[in-house]
């Protein structure tokens, strides 16, 4: 079968590899769609802390069950599925307390084991989740990033939250803004430094401002100089680490979904003086995936997918994704 293989820094190639063998606990999925994620940029650049080549990329995907031992579970050959891509140790304190998504040695398909940017992918049966038969493949491949947004939004209490700011209008920021808007009557606005991303946010019906001065002025004007109640930090950039405290009212809350590649400056005095709450949000639980699957039908997710390519064109797809301009989700359609 063909697979998009990361071989080493800046080496992403389409290669012929054997179809994986299965144990009784595993299923072979025929991949319909698989998305690029910001973290794939880090893998291909050779700066991801764990991913080592040779490795098939891809952790955001959907497909159909092609082969497996069908005895003793709810799945059948031909079922449309996505996969919960986390691999947890089952032994650390997080795993033992039911929080395996923050496992001390958390691993993922597409980072630590071969992923789904290929004709087929091997996944443990217990990691599969059924998708509605009518769901388009392009939406099935967005369930994983949508689950990131669902988890982030679930992390902070929403009582007395009227005004929300989302920092960063990449896929996670946009999805977070959509989930936050759909779950309450709060005013949600989003910021980014790229005009093309703000344009897409506007098309999705989200109030959007240029990051920094414009966002700050608009928020302060709209909130009587108080600031918003809740910030979702989805940029993972040094400038948004500064904005996240300055945009909040006293006793406001920050949920950090953006992955910061290195330590950055944070205004701890603002956290101290305004008694802010800072909450980390990492990936998702299986329940978040289920929520994402049921929410997917009601959100305008089709607009988030801006490009799709056949598997053979994976390098062009990657260049398109890395180029960034006018790009949100880039999908590979292997079959
Ligand atoms: Zn991802
Ligand atoms: Zn663990």
């Amino acid at each position: 079968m063909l697979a998009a293989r990361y071989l080493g820094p800046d080496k992403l190639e389409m290669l012929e590899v054997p179809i994986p063998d299965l144990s009784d606990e595993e299923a072979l999925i025929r991949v319909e769609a698989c998305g690029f994620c910001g973290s794939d940029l880090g893998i291909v650049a050779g700066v991801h802390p764990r991913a080592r080549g040779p490795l098939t990329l891809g952790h955001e995907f959907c497909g159909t069950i092609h082969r497996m031992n069908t005895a003793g579970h709810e799945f059948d050959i031909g079922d449309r599925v996505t996969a919960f891509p986390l691999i947890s140790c089952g032994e650390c304190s997080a795993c033992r307390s039911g929080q395996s998504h923050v496992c001390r040695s958390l691993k993922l398909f597409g980072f630590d084991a071969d992923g789904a940017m290929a004709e087929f992918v091997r996944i443990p049966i217990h990691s599969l989740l059924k998708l509605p038969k009518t769901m388009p493949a392009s939406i099935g491949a967005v369930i994983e990033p949508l689950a990131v947004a669902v988890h982030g939004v679930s992390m902070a209490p929403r009582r007395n939250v009227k005004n929300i700011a989302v920092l960063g209008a990449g896929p996670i920021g946009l999805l977070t803004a959509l989930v936050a808007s759909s779950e309450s009557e709060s005013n949600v606005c989003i910021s980014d430094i790229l005009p093309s991303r703000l344009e897409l946010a506007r098309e999705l019906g989200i109030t959007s401002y240029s990051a920094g001065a414009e966002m700050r002025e608009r928020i302060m004007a709209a909130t009587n100089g108080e600031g918003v109640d809740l910030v979702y930090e989805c940029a993972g950039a040094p400038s948004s680490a500064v904005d996240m405290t300055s945009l909040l009212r006293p006793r406001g809350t920050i949920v950090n979904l953006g992955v910061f590649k290195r330590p950055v400056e944070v205004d701890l005095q603002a956290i101290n003086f305004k008694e802010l709450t800072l909450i980390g949000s990492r990936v998702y639980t299986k329940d978040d995936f289920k929520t994402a699957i049921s929410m997917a039908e009601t959100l305008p997710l089709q607009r988030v997918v801006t490009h799709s390519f056949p598997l053979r064109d994976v390098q062009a797809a990657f260049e398109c994704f890395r180029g960034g301009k006018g790009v949100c989700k880039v999908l590979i359609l292997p079959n």
Side-chain angles (χ1 to χ4, degrees), residues 89-92 95 103-104:
C89 77
E91 288 164 10
C92 71
C95 284
C103 172
R104 216 171 65 190

Side-chain angles (χ1 to χ4, degrees), residues 38-58:
S39 55
D40 295 324
L41 296 173
I43 294 177
V44 177
V47 298
H48 190 276
R50 301 191 315 273
R52 296 286 172 270
L55 172 77
T56 302
L57 296 184

Side-chain angles (χ1 to χ4, degrees), residues 191-255:
S191 67
D192 204 282
I193 52 169
L194 293 177
S196 61
R197 287 183 164 183
L198 298 180
E199 189 62 45
L200 179 58
R202 260 173 233 127
E203 285 173 26
L204 290 166
I206 308 163
T207 307
S208 56
Y209 303 123
S210 184
E214 188 193 2
M215 178 73 154
R216 192 180 155 71
E217 278 161 28
R218 298 294 196 112
I219 282 178
M220 291 309 161
T223 60
N224 226 347
E226 292 282 352
V228 295
D229 308 296
L230 179 54
V231 164
Y232 295 112
E233 195 293 316
C234 300
S239 57
S240 75
V242 173
D243 291 342
M244 69 185 187
T245 52
S246 72
L247 296 174
L248 275 174
R249 65 158 166 80
R251 303 215 112 208
T253 303
I254 301 159
V255 180

Side-chain angles (χ1 to χ4, degrees), residues 36-40 59-60 111 144-145 148 172 284 329:
F36 275 110
C37 169
S39 55
D40 295 324
H59 58 278
E60 311 180 353
F111 296 75
E144 193 268 359
V148 172
I172 297 300
Y284 31 64
K329 264 295 156 205

Side-chain angles (χ1 to χ4, degrees), residues 87-96 99-100 102-106:
I87 307 166
S88 305
C89 77
E91 288 164 10
C92 71
S93 64
C95 284
R96 280 186 283 115
Q99 306 292 332
S100 57
V102 284
C103 172
R104 216 171 65 190
S105 52
L106 187 70

